[in-house]
Amino acid sequence: EAGVAQSPRYKIIEKRQSVAFWCNPISGHATLYWYQQILGQGPKLLIQFQNNGVVDDSQLPKDRFSAERLKGVDSTLKIQPAKLEDSAVYLCASSPQTRYTADTQYFGPGTRLTVL
Amino acid sequence: QKEVEQDPGPLSVPEGAIVSLNCTYSNSAFQYFMWYRQYSRKGPELLMYTYSSGNKEDGRFTAQVDKSSKYISLFIRDSQPSDSATYLCAMSASVLAGSTLGRLYFGRGTQLTVWP
């Protein structure tokens, strides 16, 4: 079974620029998550999708971050404009449709963003 | 106060040692407790999952939950160099897929090195 795919793996931008990350979840997984992991910290949930719909985006800085999940499969996360404090690893995770498996999240390798 | 507290280490032990990793938490609603392992430049992978209080054993790994003390532990017996990684505790109030209660709260991770 193929894992969660993310691209790019690394990105360096200057502050105030825009950036987008892409995630392809495990086939058939209905739930998709984006996390932000700042160096030395645990992952923090930014947004959770169930199929096409947003379940939880309460921790997403909506003035600069946006995310969408096209046709309930792939997802993109965008930052516009980026700030220095956005430097982090952005992790995508997915989990199956089954009702009681929210705990089993499969993570991708992440995109490491550096904002200069 | 953070929802989940975890000593970041680093922890360095010789091969064969018993390792003890711990987390404390403040939210009494948490019922589902997980340990993730994260190798360098990789996404977290689920290692152990327990519900409510008690112990769970899987090979060399034992997870313990003490809800009365809001304290969870992961023990690694006969540690191996391949166990060298960052160990993240995570917890949630619900395991329902698509539920905001299922949001995972992560500790900051403990960096473990097992030397031969």
Side-chain angles (χ1 to χ4, degrees), chain B residues 48 50 55-63 77:
Chain B
M48 297 283 285
T50 53
N55 294 359
K56 184 173 184 178
E57 189 173 319
D58 184 3
R60 297 183 295 109
F61 298 88
T62 299
R77 292 185 301 279

Side-chain angles (χ1 to χ4, degrees), chain B residues 25-66:
Chain B
Y25 63 95
S26 57
N27 189 343
S28 58
F30 288 148
Q31 299 185 72
Y32 300 89
F33 305 92
M34 291 130 256
W35 287 94
Y36 282 82
R37 179 174 60 196
Q38 186 172 24
Y39 290 114
S40 180
R41 309 284 178 173
K42 302 285 187 182
E45 57 177 338
L46 183 65
L47 194 60
M48 297 283 285
Y49 159 65
T50 53
Y51 167 66
S52 194
S53 287
N55 294 359
K56 184 173 184 178
E57 189 173 319
D58 184 3
R60 297 183 295 109
F61 298 88
T62 299
Q64 287 185 350
V65 174
D66 181 350

